[in-house]
Amino acid sequence: MDIYYRYSKYLKEKYGVKTYKLPVNIPVSCPNRDGFLSEGGCSFCGEMGAGFENYPASMSVKEQLEKNKTYIGNKYGAEKFIAYFQNFSNTYLPVEKLLKYLEEATEVNDIAAIILSTRPDCINNVYLKKIKEKMEKKVPEINLGLELGLQTVNYHTLTRVNRGHTLGEVIDAILNAQKYNFEIGIHLILNLPGDNMVDVIENAKIISALKVDNVKLHALYIREGTEFAEKYKKGEFDIIPLEEYVERVITFLEYLDPQIAIQRLLGRAPEEKTLFANWDKSWWKIYNIIIEEMKKRKTYQGKKFEYLQGKALKKFIK
């Protein structure tokens, strides 16, 4: 029995061969940075966003995909690929312009899916319908997906970290996207200041109840130029110890629906201008600590997944 449902296994089952993501960077911003909602952005988000290893947005989508495809295909033996529009809010632009970028991605061979990373308040039925109709007409065999930055289900924490939305917008975005058969991925940070183990468990329960397809876990890192960086330097908040993060990941997995694939258990950050990342350890060492502890406890994803479908009625059902 697997300790957790790996995203690589999910992709192999879905597409039949080894499948890898190819990051794409397009010139978009975020309504929480450009002044529409706020100019400061989320308290943890740096100027580079999440795509610090990407090619520049000035390079065409097709060229980025071709270059990444050659490198990743040769290195990992991948046969199919996902065009992953990764950095900032990739649906925060006029829909016709977005469609041109998506069409360019379809010009690359062996693209099995297109996934857009974005904010839940940058999703609506008009965009979903137009994307779905355009792609089904042009390349019906390509799957479509969204990765939504939720970070936490604790709406008090979402307000404190200046997300610009709360839980309601996330639920709305997921339900709307599922109507159009978009695959749904969720990003979570399990150690935001103010969150505790109750929030960790509720994260697992809510995304399980919403039947998302996959989840990507992050450990909070501190980038220069962010609100968190200033507070961190002033000693205004503490980051939980590594042992507590390990405990949170294990607990999260225990409560998570075993059919939800896990993209990763923690992320990475650029070394330059990063004040704190992964307790000064490489990500794979922390990963190994988590896995070894789960083996020691004989625990696994979904071990405590028994709370949905009217738990109280189970006493009457044989």
Side-chain angles (χ1 to χ4, degrees):
M1 180 179 182
D2 293 333
I3 289 178
Y4 72 91
Y5 186 19
R6 298 172 187 270
Y7 187 58
S8 57
K9 181 179 180 181
Y10 167 83
L11 293 178
K12 182 72 177 291
E13 291 172 346
K14 187 166 186 173
Y15 300 112
V17 295
K18 185 176 287 188
T19 304
Y20 265 74
K21 279 182 170 180
L22 305 177
V24 180
N25 194 9
I26 60 175
V28 290
S29 181
C30 169
N32 209 25
R33 301 185 70 90
D34 71 357
F36 186 76
L37 296 176
S38 171
E39 293 183 350
C42 303
S43 301
F44 50 80
C45 185
E47 291 291 336
M48 296 176 66
F52 64 94
E53 293 179 316
N54 291 1
Y55 285 112
S58 57
M59 186 181 290
S60 73
V61 169
K62 186 176 181 180
E63 187 177 3
Q64 290 180 60
L65 288 172
E66 293 286 10
K67 285 181 176 290
N68 275 319
K69 178 184 169 185
T70 300
Y71 172 75
I72 290 174
N74 291 337
K75 183 175 182 179
Y76 298 106
E79 298 179 51
K80 290 186 178 180
F81 303 89
I82 295 169
Y84 177 39
F85 290 74
Q86 179 183 18
N87 208 19
F88 293 118
S89 303
N90 286 274
T91 56
Y92 186 53
L93 71 170
V95 67
E96 297 304 327
K97 191 171 183 179
L98 173 60
L99 289 173
K100 289 181 181 179
Y101 288 125
L102 302 188
E103 286 187 81
E104 195 175 342
T106 67
E107 296 172 4
V108 178
N109 292 330
D110 305 315
I111 296 296
I114 294 173
I115 294 178
L116 298 162
S117 181
T118 191
R119 288 169 56 88
D121 52 11
C122 292
I123 295 296
N124 68 17
N125 285 326
V126 172
Y127 274 53
L128 293 168
K129 186 172 186 288
K130 286 191 174 183
I131 292 169
K132 186 71 173 179
E133 288 177 349
K134 185 75 171 182
M135 291 298 103
E136 281 193 339
K137 184 177 181 180
K138 185 174 177 63
V139 277
E141 68 276 11
I142 289 183
N143 289 295
L144 297 171
L146 298 173
E147 287 193 12
L148 300 175
L150 169 54
Q151 316 312 347
T152 176
V153 300
N154 185 327
Y155 44 88
H156 299 294
T157 300
L158 289 173
T159 298
R160 283 196 299 269
V161 302
N162 195 39
R163 275 296 291 174
H165 69 79
T166 58
L167 183 59
E169 291 93 323
V170 179
I171 295 172
D172 177 62
I174 291 172
L175 295 179
N176 284 331
Q178 287 172 336
K179 288 189 299 186
Y180 293 93
N181 296 317
F182 278 70
E183 176 184 296
I184 304 296
I186 293 294
H187 294 198
L188 291 170
I189 300 174
L190 292 186
N191 61 328
L192 284 172
D195 276 10
N196 56 32
M197 192 63 80
V198 173
D199 299 300
V200 170
I201 295 170
E202 199 66 9
N203 280 328
K205 286 187 173 184
I206 287 178
I207 69 170
S208 294
L210 288 169
K211 302 186 184 306
V212 305
D213 298 284
N214 58 79
V215 61
K216 183 185 292 184
L217 301 182
H218 302 255
L220 179 65
Y221 58 81
I222 310 296
R223 292 281 291 156
E224 283 279 15
T226 63
E227 180 186 342
F228 273 5
E230 297 308 308
K231 290 183 176 181
Y232 180 73
K233 287 186 281 190
K234 293 176 183 177
E236 293 181 2
F237 73 81
D238 295 320
I239 295 174
I240 63 172
L242 173 58
E243 294 75 17
E244 173 66 14
Y245 183 77
V246 170
E247 195 69 32
R248 291 188 183 193
V249 171
I250 293 173
T251 301
F252 174 83
L253 292 176
E254 288 178 329
Y255 279 90
L256 188 68
D257 182 344
Q259 295 185 26
I260 295 176
I262 309 297
Q263 289 203 43
R264 65 187 185 201
L265 302 182
L266 72 164
R268 296 181 298 121
E271 292 184 11
E272 186 181 2
K273 296 184 179 181
T274 296
L275 301 180
F276 173 90
N278 293 342
W279 297 271
D280 292 325
K281 295 182 181 295
S282 61
W283 70 268
W284 59 266
K285 285 186 178 179
I286 298 175
Y287 173 86
N288 286 338
I289 290 170
I290 294 168
I291 298 303
E292 289 305 312
E293 185 61 27
M294 292 184 76
K295 288 179 180 178
K296 179 181 175 182
R297 300 184 192 184
K298 297 182 179 180
T299 193
Y300 50 87
Q301 180 180 342
K303 185 176 183 179
K304 297 178 181 178
F305 178 63
E306 81 302 333
Y307 44 84
L308 299 180
Q309 293 296 313
K311 178 181 178 180
L313 297 180
K314 292 180 180 179
K315 65 179 289 186
F316 302 116
I317 301 173
K318 303 298 182 182

